[in-house]
Amino acid sequence: MDEHLQRMLLAGALGMTLARRAAAILEGDAPADPRVLRAILEAANESLGHFDDRPPGERWCDATLRLLDLAAFAARLG
C-alpha cells in the first residue's frame, strides 16, 4: 500500500475513534475528562476549518455536530 494512502487511512481511523469517544463522553457513557473532550472538540473545529473559512468561534457548533455525525457513522460501520 502506498505510504501516503496508508497515512490518510490511519488519520481517518483516528478521527473515527476520537469521534466515538467524544460522543460517549457527551452522552454520559464514558468518564468525562474535560481536558480530553476539549482537545477533541478543538481538533474537530480545527479540522472543519480546512473546509469552512468562518472564524473558529462561529463554527464550533457545526464542528460538534459533524463530530457526532462521524460517531454515528463509525457506529454503523461497526
Side-chain angles (χ1 to χ4, degrees), residues 1-10:
M1 179 182 299
D2 176 82
E3 185 177 339
H4 180 70
L5 178 60
Q6 186 178 19
R7 284 183 176 168
M8 293 299 292
L9 290 173
L10 201 59

Side-chain angles (χ1 to χ4, degrees), residues 7-8 11 16 19 21 24 30 39 42-43 60 67 75 77:
R7 284 183 176 168
M8 293 299 292
M16 298 296 270
R21 296 215 177 156
E42 286 176 353
W60 73 267
L67 187 64
L77 291 177

